[in-house]
Amino acid sequence: MAAEQESTVPRVVDHKARRNEVAAAVLRLVARHGLDSVTMRAVAQEAGWSTGVLNHYFGNKQELLVAGLRLAVRDAGERMQFASENCTGPETLEAVLSEGLPLDEWRLALCRIWISFCAQAVGNEDLAARQRRYYSNWRKTVRGVLEEGQRQGWVGSDLDVSAEADSLIALVDGLGLRAVVGADVSAPDQQLGLLKRWLQGIRRLDAVGS
Amino acid sequence: MAAEQESTVPRVVDHKARRNEVAAAVLRLVARHGLDSVTMRAVAQEAGWSTGVLNHYFGNKQELLVAGLRLAVRDAGERMQFASENCTGPETLEAVLSEGLPLDEWRLALCRIWISFCAQAVGNEDLAARQRRYYSNWRKTVRGVLEEGQRQGWVGSDLDVSAEADSLIALVDGLGLRAVVGADVSAPDQQLGLLKRWLQGIRRLDAVGS
């Protein structure tokens, strides 16, 4: 019994790790060539797998994209968590929100899949529910940072943290949408500049006792 | 000659009007059932056309969506233009930006097609270029209103109008993205509330001489 248990544990871990390998390959492809580049064949090649083995783990392109989205969201969530625990003062808010901006290839891939899934979510309740869940978590995180800011005094005590969190998330999402088509202010330093400017505004609002 | 010219003119007008009829049918379908509901057959039925005649005007689903997007963008542009000419003071900015929010079925359809086309634009340079052109026009309009506000004194003279226009467009776009998946703050009054709150902020920034 003990021997049997020991032999199954590594297999389970391996299974998860292998799925993550594929998810990472999906993200690399999306970052480099866009969503259309995600085919079973291309992902197998990128991950160094045979298409037969890939088929065993993922049934179709949609499942590959979901795996990519999950990995990117989890990764962004962990980095947000790390930022909120390890930064101090207003830098926390900037660090947390920056994780949602397409400032590097990985985050650009996340933006592309995110936006594509939002577009597909109309008429697809499963997809819509997942996106809503992600939004809800993100909102909680940002609101939490603002509330912490109020306790620490760098966010005005009368700031409407829910409304501010919603506005900040909309700003970050909207910048991502623009970056995806390569419109003005798609460059990372411009995106970050607009975010910093806005955050500066939150503190200034406080200065006049908004 | 004169008689010939007379007989061709109405036909040209009719051709354009007929294309617009179809574009409006596309938008109604997208608003009610999402992008997947746009098929040659469904659009023909919605517009009261035969699929044969529809095929004569539009080759495929993508062309139908482009027609819908064009009509919605032109319509929004005209309403923005009207608002910027007929409103006074800060209401102008609110009226112009509201046209980009999914506050009714027509604008929700615009948001859905917009976001879908942004998602598809990765790896499709034609689509990306069109979206960039639309963004560029929208940016000019919003910046123009802010500059007019500076001349009239309800926007601070030292406000960075380009950065503010970019932020406002991102805010509106981000709210639209959230509404498309039905996440929190998708209701029209909540979306408008967040916009008004932000615009209030612009005036407050001015009060502290930002």
Side-chain angles (χ1 to χ4, degrees), chain A residues 41-204:
Chain A
R41 200 173 160 172
V43 172
Q45 197 173 10
E46 177 70 24
W49 289 30
S50 74
T51 48
V53 176
L54 184 66
N55 265 310
H56 182 70
Y57 284 82
F58 299 93
N60 54 42
K61 176 178 173 158
Q62 186 77 355
E63 288 181 18
L64 289 170
L65 288 173
V66 168
L69 178 68
R70 275 196 185 136
L71 178 62
V73 165
R74 198 178 58 227
D75 184 72
E78 281 170 6
R79 291 192 297 186
M80 283 182 193
Q81 190 62 32
F82 181 85
S84 67
E85 286 167 3
N86 292 279
C87 295
T88 51
E91 288 70 32
T92 318
L93 193 56
E94 187 185 317
V96 164
L97 291 164
S98 302
E99 293 303 333
L101 287 176
L103 300 177
D104 54 31
E105 289 216 326
W106 189 273
R107 283 177 274 182
L108 181 60
L110 171 56
C111 273
R112 284 174 175 172
I113 300 181
W114 183 272
I115 288 162
S116 169
F117 277 12
C118 284
Q120 287 177 52
V122 181
N124 181 332
E125 191 40 43
D126 279 356
L127 264 185
R130 185 179 14 243
Q131 296 299 100
R132 284 200 296 270
R133 214 161 47 237
Y134 288 151
Y135 270 119
S136 173
N137 289 339
W138 193 12
R139 202 176 180 225
K140 257 182 233 158
T141 303
V142 175
R143 209 172 44 199
V145 174
L146 287 168
E147 283 165 351
E148 184 59 29
Q150 285 184 323
R151 280 189 289 272
Q152 293 176 1
W154 52 269
V155 169
S157 59
D158 46 4
L159 185 84
D160 180 340
V161 288
S162 286
E164 194 59 46
D166 287 327
S167 301
L168 284 165
I169 287 171
L171 175 76
V172 167
D173 257 357
L175 289 174
L177 198 59
R178 207 127 39 122
V180 158
V181 299
D184 302 314
V185 301
S186 294
D189 61 327
Q190 292 176 306
Q191 299 232 329
L192 206 51
L194 285 172
L195 175 63
K196 282 177 195 241
R197 178 177 172 276
W198 188 307
L199 296 180
Q200 201 66 25
I202 294 180
R203 278 180 279 167
R204 274 201 303 242

Side-chain angles (χ1 to χ4, degrees), chain B residues 156-208:
Chain B
S157 59
D158 46 5
L159 185 85
D160 181 340
V161 288
S162 287
E164 193 60 46
D166 286 326
S167 300
L168 284 166
I169 286 171
L171 175 74
V172 168
D173 257 356
L175 289 174
L177 198 58
R178 206 127 39 123
V180 158
V181 298
D184 303 313
V185 301
S186 294
D189 60 328
Q190 291 175 307
Q191 299 232 329
L192 206 52
L194 286 172
L195 176 62
K196 281 177 195 239
R197 179 177 172 275
W198 184 248
L199 296 180
Q200 201 66 24
I202 294 179
R203 277 178 279 167
R204 274 200 303 239
L205 287 184
D206 180 39
V208 277

Side-chain angles (χ1 to χ4, degrees), chain B residues 119-182:
Chain B
Q120 288 176 52
V122 181
N124 181 333
E125 192 39 44
D126 279 357
L127 263 186
R130 184 178 16 239
Q131 296 299 100
R132 285 200 295 269
R133 214 162 46 238
Y134 287 151
Y135 270 119
S136 173
N137 288 339
W138 193 13
R139 202 175 179 226
K140 257 182 231 157
T141 303
V142 175
R143 209 171 45 200
V145 173
L146 287 168
E147 283 166 350
E148 184 60 28
Q150 286 184 323
R151 279 189 290 272
Q152 294 177 0
W154 52 270
V155 170
S157 59
D158 46 5
L159 185 85
D160 181 340
V161 288
S162 287
E164 193 60 46
D166 286 326
S167 300
L168 284 166
I169 286 171
L171 175 74
V172 168
D173 257 356
L175 289 174
L177 198 58
R178 206 127 39 123
V180 158
V181 298

Side-chain angles (χ1 to χ4, degrees), chain B residues 55-78:
Chain B
N55 265 310
H56 181 71
Y57 283 83
F58 299 92
N60 54 41
K61 176 179 174 160
Q62 186 77 356
E63 289 181 18
L64 288 170
L65 288 173
V66 168
L69 178 68
R70 275 195 183 136
L71 177 62
V73 165
R74 197 178 60 228
D75 183 72
E78 282 171 5

